[in-house]
Every structure is written in structure tokens, then in C-alpha cells.
Amino acid sequence: MTGPVTPTDLRTRFAAALSTLYGSEVPAYTTLVEVSQEVNADVIAAAGAEAERLGSIERVTAERHGAIRVGTPEELAQVARVFGACGMAPVGFYDLREATPPIPVVSTAFRPTDRAELATNPFRVFTSVLVVDDRRFFDASTEAELREFLGARTLFPAELLDLADRMERYGSLAAEEADRFLALATAAFELSPEPVDRAWYQRLEAISSVAADIGGVASTHINHLTPRVLDIDALYERMEARGIEMIDRIQGPPRTAAGAPDVLLRQTSFRALSEPRRFREPDGTVVDGELRVRFGEVEQRGVALTPQGRAVYDRDGVAGLPDTDDELDAADLAYYVRDDEGRLLPLVYEDFLPRSAAGIFASNLTSEGRSDTTQQASLRGAAWMRDVLGRELHDPYALYAAERSEHGAH
Ligand code: OOG
Ligand code: NI
């Protein structure tokens, strides 16, 4: 590319670069992408245009969500700048400390918020930050050690952050600057060859594998990169037929009846194999070892539910919802807009589900870890997250509602 590069181009290229990186690191991911593409081609062949109501085949084929985990508010604010350069804004607040088993993180998702941007490339990244001062997990001395360890590392080089800020300020980067941004940003999420301090890692792992994955290593990495599929049940069967053992269930709503609209988000995953990592032993020697922290995940997306629709879903599951677009729209249970002929078009659910996210985290743990519920939780909420990010933290419902009213529906 030669001309100036826009945030949209950067996002598309960043998602593709991470996909290439992750495929080289986790070969089963490549299988997952291949099988997803087969399933999508089959669904389109069988259902035609109807199958593209929830996104064009181009969008769905390129569509990925990533998951990353950082250690400090400063690191989170830096992530916001890197994704901000790619036209991705923080949306939603998720408190995984309330999950079973509890995970010592709070999270948001960076994604495009504009419908046209989502249609071009909806790359989104579920981003979690460790809560080091939550006494249910970390005593005062572990907190102090975590702060010191995390405070001493640099995840994102200054040059990358400068380029990110330039992109946010001017709305474009020169071709060479964009290439440099992509090289640095992709490298920041690569698995590091740096030896892991075994004793420190194991101490954290006894509390929480996620804490060890975040605070036990001096760099970060993508935890998973998730393709989107149009029929997750078909995908599940084909992966098992290829000998890849999936977790025992599909998270989120069950399959809806034939012809009924898909709602929200369905996800499933498999654990990646152990990956070679180097360890530093307490006596200073460095040895080869293995860690098993990453995995493959796949998702199927449906229509976004309104707060009322979500309340029904949370109480009664999909069985509580009507099974046509017309009824969902008329009862204001799901978000739709109308096309030129007045037909209903679903607004795709672009976010995450806390219960499924908890299940995804849990399927990835070496043990439940330990927490002491008699201890004091530390206060973390959307307001805290917004202050740390130093930018607006979008409410997902407000985004869907604005989109709908812009198109004159409801
Ligand atoms: C994030 C888990 C949540 C999802 O798809 O719900 C997630 C993580 O494992 O870091 O990615
Ligand atoms: Ni995920």
C-alpha cells in the first residue's frame, strides 16, 4: 500500500496479521479457521441470501475476536491507544470476579461502534485487567510483589504508542508508518521466548492460572483468536470428526428452532496443546518446559436483545422469547432496523456474555485456584474503567438503540 492508511485499513490489516501470527503459534487454530470456512460455505450454499442477514460472507469470513489480558491500569490505557488507532473503542464492563470460579479480572471489549465500520471489519478484542488489590485473591505482600513485577515491564514500546496517538489525532498514517505500527503491535502480542520465573509463576498459579498468565510473565500474548461460524453445531461435529476434542458444551443460548432467529452469542472451545516455554529455576538455571494456557474458540452470532429481551433470556432462556423477527421486534425484545422494502434486518450482537466468558476462562484453567470470600473485594466498576481508559466507555445497549432510532425504527 502506498497512500495514507486509515484506521479502518489498519484494523483490517492488524486482525489479519494477528491471525497469521496465531496460526503459526497454535496450529489447531488454522484447522479451526478452515473448518469454519467450510461450514460457512455450506450454510450459504443451502440457505443463500437468508444466511447473510446477520452479516455478509465477506464480513463473517474475516471476522475475529481476540482475547488479551494485562496487569495494570497503565497497560490498559495503552491498549486503548493501540486499538483506538484501529478505530476500536471500549464497549461494556464485565466483572469476572463474580464468576464461578471467580477470576481476578475486570474486562471490556474494544470494537468498532459504527455499523458501516462493523460491516467492513468487526475485529473486537476482549481485554481483561488483573485486580491486584482484591484481598479475596491476593494478600498484601503478593499485591506488593505483583505491583513491582508489573511496574517493571514494558508491553508496548513508546514508538508504537506514538504512532497510535498520531493516527488518533490525524485520522491517517503514512504507508511506512502504518507498516511500522503493524509490525510493533503484532510483535507486542507474540509469545515471548523470555524465560519464565518458575517459582513466581507457580505461586501465582496456586491462586489463579489467569493471574499467573498475566503477572507471571514479562510480556503479554493473545490468549485466543476466534473465528465466526454460521452454524456452530455443524462446526462442533466436524471438529470432533477431525479428532479435536472440544469442551463438552456450547456456551450461551441453545440452538433455536428451525426458522427461528439466532439470538445473542453461542461459543465453544478446545484447549490448545501445551506450548514449549523456557523457565528459570530458583538456582538460576534455564530449562525447557511447557505451559498450557491458550486454546481455540469459535462463535456464532445472532440478533442483539434489548434490556427487556435480555431479562427474559436471563430468566427463562430462549424458550421465553417469541420465535419470529416480527414478534421480537413488536414486543421490543430484540433490535432491528428496516431495509428499503420495509423488511426487518437484525442488528447483530457485537458484544460478549459474562456467563459464557466465565465458562471460556474456566475451560482454560489448570485448577480452580483459591480465593477467600471472607476478605474485602476491591471496588471496580464502569466508572473506574472509564477513568483508567481516559475515554468514553460505551454502553452496548445505547449503541444498539442509537443505531435503531437512526433508521427510524421504534
Ligand atoms: C477471555 C475470556 C472471554 C469470550 O469469548 O467470552 C472471551 C480470556 O480468556 O482472556 O474471550
Ligand atoms: Ni473469546
Side-chain angles (χ1 to χ4, degrees):
M1 276 197 207
T2 46
V5 175
T6 64
T8 315
D9 302 329
L10 206 58
R11 179 171 71 257
T12 302
R13 288 171 63 190
F14 189 28
L18 285 174
S19 188
T20 305
L21 170 70
Y22 199 57
S24 73
E25 294 180 338
V26 180
Y29 165 78
T30 307
T31 308
L32 184 63
V33 170
E34 274 166 27
V35 175
S36 301
Q37 284 169 2
E38 278 171 32
V39 168
N40 291 345
D42 290 355
V43 171
I44 302 261
E50 185 61 19
E52 294 189 88
R53 286 182 77 223
L54 288 159
S56 70
I57 187 65
E58 292 78 21
R59 167 182 160 157
V60 172
T61 303
E63 186 156 352
R64 298 286 184 277
H65 88 242
I68 60 166
R69 304 156 172 188
V70 297
T72 65
E74 293 74 23
E75 289 173 357
L76 181 62
Q78 292 173 351
V79 168
R81 289 154 73 189
V82 172
F83 290 133
C86 300
M88 297 153 75
V91 182
F93 176 80
Y94 305 84
D95 193 341
L96 275 304
R97 299 174 303 166
E98 305 305 324
T100 317
I103 313 288
V105 299
V106 292
S107 315
T108 187
F110 292 91
R111 66 167 178 86
T113 55
D114 179 84
R115 187 139 169 265
E117 289 292 324
L118 286 161
T120 308
N121 189 299
F123 186 43
R124 55 175 85 73
V125 180
F126 192 88
T127 304
S128 303
V129 60
L130 193 64
V131 185
V132 297
D133 61 353
D134 195 309
R135 284 285 171 272
R136 295 172 298 181
F137 304 94
F138 308 110
D139 61 25
S141 79
T142 309
E143 177 194 346
E145 285 173 87
L146 268 171
R147 283 190 191 279
E148 193 187 330
F149 183 90
L150 294 167
R153 72 181 189 181
T154 302
L155 298 185
F156 305 103
E159 186 188 355
L160 171 63
L161 297 172
D162 279 353
L163 288 166
D165 293 347
R166 289 173 61 82
M167 178 59 120
E168 285 208 86
R169 178 156 338 121
Y170 302 114
S172 71
L173 286 180
E176 320 75 70
E177 291 176 320
D179 291 346
R180 187 73 187 139
F181 175 98
L182 288 167
L184 292 170
T186 308
F189 293 106
E190 203 174 313
L191 208 58
S192 161
E194 271 285 294
V196 176
D197 180 329
R198 180 160 345 238
W200 172 233
Y201 191 94
Q202 285 180 343
R203 258 181 68 201
L204 292 175
E205 201 176 23
I207 300 170
S208 154
S209 325
V210 175
D213 186 40
I214 298 172
V217 293
S219 63
T220 189
H221 44 258
I222 332 172
N223 178 268
H224 58 269
L225 198 63
T226 300
R228 179 169 160 201
V229 74
L230 297 171
D231 183 345
I232 200 167
D233 301 284
L235 178 122
Y236 190 98
E237 280 169 26
R238 286 196 210 180
M239 289 296 283
E240 295 248 306
R242 287 214 190 185
I244 295 183
E245 197 191 326
M246 309 296 284
I247 60 168
D248 61 359
R249 56 184 298 249
I250 295 175
Q251 320 259 3
R255 188 184 185 88
T256 45
D262 296 328
V263 299
L264 296 173
L265 173 63
R266 306 180 69 206
Q267 297 169 288
T268 192
S269 61
F270 60 86
R271 281 184 80 183
L273 299 176
S274 303
E275 295 178 294
R277 296 281 274 273
R278 296 199 305 149
F279 288 89
R280 182 172 298 104
E281 302 294 2
D283 66 3
T285 54
V286 172
V287 300
D288 289 332
E290 292 184 331
L291 278 183
R292 191 177 179 183
V293 291
R294 307 206 288 178
F295 62 98
E297 184 196 30
V298 63
E299 65 181 23
Q300 176 176 350
R301 289 184 178 267
V303 64
L305 297 183
T306 62
Q308 305 83 273
R310 180 61 178 272
V312 172
Y313 169 74
D314 284 341
R315 198 182 56 232
D316 305 327
V318 277
L321 296 168
D323 54 12
T324 65
D325 293 319
D326 285 320
E327 290 167 289
L328 283 166
D329 178 61
D332 194 18
L333 295 170
Y335 293 105
Y336 292 87
V337 292
R338 289 191 183 272
D339 68 9
D340 295 342
E341 275 92 56
R343 283 183 308 239
L344 290 173
L345 289 177
L347 293 183
V348 180
Y349 188 60
E350 306 286 356
D351 296 288
F352 291 87
L353 295 176
R355 222 183 291 152
S356 303
I360 299 296
F361 268 112
S363 66
N364 206 17
L365 303 177
T366 43
S367 76
E368 291 215 346
R370 60 162 196 256
S371 62
D372 177 354
T373 50
T374 64
Q375 295 289 323
Q376 185 64 32
S378 53
L379 228 58
R380 290 288 189 285
W384 175 87
M385 180 78 85
R386 188 187 54 227
D387 288 348
V388 163
L389 293 166
R391 56 183 78 207
E392 185 177 356
L393 177 63
H394 296 272
D395 169 4
Y397 290 116
L399 295 173
Y400 297 116
E403 184 65 48
R404 181 170 69 175
S405 60
E406 208 174 294
H407 287 78
H410 279 266

PDB file of all heavy atoms in Angstrom, residues 112-125:
ATOM      1  N   PRO A 112     -15.225  -1.682  16.815  1.00  0.00           N
ATOM      2  CA  PRO A 112     -15.831  -0.548  16.112  1.00  0.00           C
ATOM      3  C   PRO A 112     -17.246  -0.366  16.644  1.00  0.00           C
ATOM      4  O   PRO A 112     -17.886  -1.340  17.055  1.00  0.00           O
ATOM      5  CB  PRO A 112     -15.873  -0.985  14.652  1.00  0.00           C
ATOM      6  CG  PRO A 112     -15.113  -2.253  14.553  1.00  0.00           C
ATOM      7  CD  PRO A 112     -14.980  -2.829  15.917  1.00  0.00           C
ATOM      8  N   THR A 113     -17.759   0.872  16.617  1.00  0.00           N
ATOM      9  CA  THR A 113     -19.106   1.117  17.121  1.00  0.00           C
ATOM     10  C   THR A 113     -20.072   1.496  16.003  1.00  0.00           C
ATOM     11  O   THR A 113     -21.272   1.472  16.186  1.00  0.00           O
ATOM     12  CB  THR A 113     -19.102   2.260  18.165  1.00  0.00           C
ATOM     13  OG1 THR A 113     -18.501   3.399  17.575  1.00  0.00           O
ATOM     14  CG2 THR A 113     -18.316   1.856  19.402  1.00  0.00           C
ATOM     15  N   ASP A 114     -19.542   1.855  14.844  1.00  0.00           N
ATOM     16  CA  ASP A 114     -20.358   2.325  13.736  1.00  0.00           C
ATOM     17  C   ASP A 114     -20.738   1.141  12.835  1.00  0.00           C
ATOM     18  O   ASP A 114     -19.913   0.265  12.585  1.00  0.00           O
ATOM     19  CB  ASP A 114     -19.498   3.337  12.964  1.00  0.00           C
ATOM     20  CG  ASP A 114     -20.195   3.893  11.779  1.00  0.00           C
ATOM     21  OD1 ASP A 114     -20.952   4.846  11.974  1.00  0.00           O
ATOM     22  OD2 ASP A 114     -19.985   3.371  10.663  1.00  0.00           O
ATOM     23  N   ARG A 115     -21.976   1.129  12.368  1.00  0.00           N
ATOM     24  CA  ARG A 115     -22.457  -0.027  11.614  1.00  0.00           C
ATOM     25  C   ARG A 115     -21.652  -0.280  10.334  1.00  0.00           C
ATOM     26  O   ARG A 115     -21.339  -1.427  10.001  1.00  0.00           O
ATOM     27  CB  ARG A 115     -23.941   0.193  11.289  1.00  0.00           C
ATOM     28  CG  ARG A 115     -24.608  -0.995  10.662  1.00  0.00           C
ATOM     29  CD  ARG A 115     -25.995  -1.189  11.250  1.00  0.00           C
ATOM     30  NE  ARG A 115     -26.739  -2.164  10.494  1.00  0.00           N
ATOM     31  CZ  ARG A 115     -27.585  -1.839   9.515  1.00  0.00           C
ATOM     32  NH1 ARG A 115     -27.765  -0.579   9.187  1.00  0.00           N
ATOM     33  NH2 ARG A 115     -28.242  -2.773   8.883  1.00  0.00           N
ATOM     34  N   ALA A 116     -21.296   0.808   9.634  1.00  0.00           N
ATOM     35  CA  ALA A 116     -20.529   0.635   8.397  1.00  0.00           C
ATOM     36  C   ALA A 116     -19.128   0.090   8.713  1.00  0.00           C
ATOM     37  O   ALA A 116     -18.597  -0.770   7.997  1.00  0.00           O
ATOM     38  CB  ALA A 116     -20.417   1.964   7.657  1.00  0.00           C
ATOM     39  N   GLU A 117     -18.551   0.562   9.817  1.00  0.00           N
ATOM     40  CA  GLU A 117     -17.233   0.066  10.223  1.00  0.00           C
ATOM     41  C   GLU A 117     -17.310  -1.409  10.619  1.00  0.00           C
ATOM     42  O   GLU A 117     -16.416  -2.202  10.304  1.00  0.00           O
ATOM     43  CB  GLU A 117     -16.711   0.891  11.408  1.00  0.00           C
ATOM     44  CG  GLU A 117     -16.295   2.308  11.036  1.00  0.00           C
ATOM     45  CD  GLU A 117     -15.053   2.325  10.161  1.00  0.00           C
ATOM     46  OE1 GLU A 117     -14.159   1.481  10.363  1.00  0.00           O
ATOM     47  OE2 GLU A 117     -14.983   3.175   9.262  1.00  0.00           O
ATOM     48  N   LEU A 118     -18.383  -1.752  11.321  1.00  0.00           N
ATOM     49  CA  LEU A 118     -18.570  -3.158  11.707  1.00  0.00           C
ATOM     50  C   LEU A 118     -18.707  -4.031  10.468  1.00  0.00           C
ATOM     51  O   LEU A 118     -18.184  -5.144  10.403  1.00  0.00           O
ATOM     52  CB  LEU A 118     -19.807  -3.300  12.593  1.00  0.00           C
ATOM     53  CG  LEU A 118     -19.637  -2.794  14.034  1.00  0.00           C
ATOM     54  CD1 LEU A 118     -20.995  -2.530  14.678  1.00  0.00           C
ATOM     55  CD2 LEU A 118     -18.837  -3.788  14.869  1.00  0.00           C
ATOM     56  N   ALA A 119     -19.400  -3.507   9.464  1.00  0.00           N
ATOM     57  CA  ALA A 119     -19.609  -4.282   8.238  1.00  0.00           C
ATOM     58  C   ALA A 119     -18.290  -4.484   7.494  1.00  0.00           C
ATOM     59  O   ALA A 119     -18.053  -5.533   6.893  1.00  0.00           O
ATOM     60  CB  ALA A 119     -20.635  -3.590   7.349  1.00  0.00           C
ATOM     61  N   THR A 120     -17.412  -3.491   7.548  1.00  0.00           N
ATOM     62  CA  THR A 120     -16.137  -3.616   6.838  1.00  0.00           C
ATOM     63  C   THR A 120     -15.204  -4.581   7.561  1.00  0.00           C
ATOM     64  O   THR A 120     -14.642  -5.493   6.958  1.00  0.00           O
ATOM     65  CB  THR A 120     -15.435  -2.243   6.722  1.00  0.00           C
ATOM     66  OG1 THR A 120     -16.355  -1.326   6.170  1.00  0.00           O
ATOM     67  CG2 THR A 120     -14.193  -2.333   5.872  1.00  0.00           C
ATOM     68  N   ASN A 121     -15.035  -4.384   8.835  1.00  0.00           N
ATOM     69  CA  ASN A 121     -14.269  -5.353   9.629  1.00  0.00           C
ATOM     70  C   ASN A 121     -14.597  -5.177  11.103  1.00  0.00           C
ATOM     71  O   ASN A 121     -14.237  -4.179  11.708  1.00  0.00           O
ATOM     72  CB  ASN A 121     -12.758  -5.214   9.404  1.00  0.00           C
ATOM     73  CG  ASN A 121     -12.023  -6.380  10.065  1.00  0.00           C
ATOM     74  OD1 ASN A 121     -12.104  -6.560  11.273  1.00  0.00           O
ATOM     75  ND2 ASN A 121     -11.340  -7.179   9.281  1.00  0.00           N
ATOM     76  N   PRO A 122     -15.274  -6.172  11.687  1.00  0.00           N
ATOM     77  CA  PRO A 122     -15.769  -6.025  13.062  1.00  0.00           C
ATOM     78  C   PRO A 122     -14.774  -6.502  14.111  1.00  0.00           C
ATOM     79  O   PRO A 122     -15.190  -6.879  15.208  1.00  0.00           O
ATOM     80  CB  PRO A 122     -17.010  -6.917  13.046  1.00  0.00           C
ATOM     81  CG  PRO A 122     -16.635  -8.038  12.122  1.00  0.00           C
ATOM     82  CD  PRO A 122     -15.702  -7.453  11.083  1.00  0.00           C
ATOM     83  N   PHE A 123     -13.480  -6.499  13.836  1.00  0.00           N
ATOM     84  CA  PHE A 123     -12.492  -7.020  14.787  1.00  0.00           C
ATOM     85  C   PHE A 123     -12.743  -6.455  16.187  1.00  0.00           C
ATOM     86  O   PHE A 123     -12.907  -5.252  16.372  1.00  0.00           O
ATOM     87  CB  PHE A 123     -11.083  -6.632  14.321  1.00  0.00           C
ATOM     88  CG  PHE A 123      -9.979  -7.236  15.160  1.00  0.00           C
ATOM     89  CD1 PHE A 123     -10.040  -8.560  15.569  1.00  0.00           C
ATOM     90  CD2 PHE A 123      -8.865  -6.476  15.527  1.00  0.00           C
ATOM     91  CE1 PHE A 123      -9.022  -9.121  16.331  1.00  0.00           C
ATOM     92  CE2 PHE A 123      -7.843  -7.033  16.291  1.00  0.00           C
ATOM     93  CZ  PHE A 123      -7.925  -8.353  16.689  1.00  0.00           C
ATOM     94  N   ARG A 124     -12.804  -7.342  17.152  1.00  0.00           N
ATOM     95  CA  ARG A 124     -13.037  -6.927  18.545  1.00  0.00           C
ATOM     96  C   ARG A 124     -12.109  -7.714  19.452  1.00  0.00           C
ATOM     97  O   ARG A 124     -11.751  -8.853  19.142  1.00  0.00           O
ATOM     98  CB  ARG A 124     -14.502  -7.134  18.933  1.00  0.00           C
ATOM     99  CG  ARG A 124     -15.005  -8.528  18.725  1.00  0.00           C
ATOM    100  CD  ARG A 124     -16.420  -8.693  19.229  1.00  0.00           C
ATOM    101  NE  ARG A 124     -17.445  -8.294  18.277  1.00  0.00           N
ATOM    102  CZ  ARG A 124     -17.777  -8.979  17.192  1.00  0.00           C
ATOM    103  NH1 ARG A 124     -17.168 -10.102  16.899  1.00  0.00           N
ATOM    104  NH2 ARG A 124     -18.725  -8.554  16.386  1.00  0.00           N
ATOM    105  N   VAL A 125     -11.737  -7.105  20.553  1.00  0.00           N
ATOM    106  CA  VAL A 125     -10.792  -7.773  21.460  1.00  0.00           C
ATOM    107  C   VAL A 125     -11.273  -7.655  22.902  1.00  0.00           C
ATOM    108  O   VAL A 125     -11.391  -6.553  23.445  1.00  0.00           O
ATOM    109  CB  VAL A 125      -9.360  -7.187  21.323  1.00  0.00           C
ATOM    110  CG1 VAL A 125      -8.412  -7.904  22.283  1.00  0.00           C
ATOM    111  CG2 VAL A 125      -8.857  -7.344  19.893  1.00  0.00           C
TER     112      VAL A 125
END
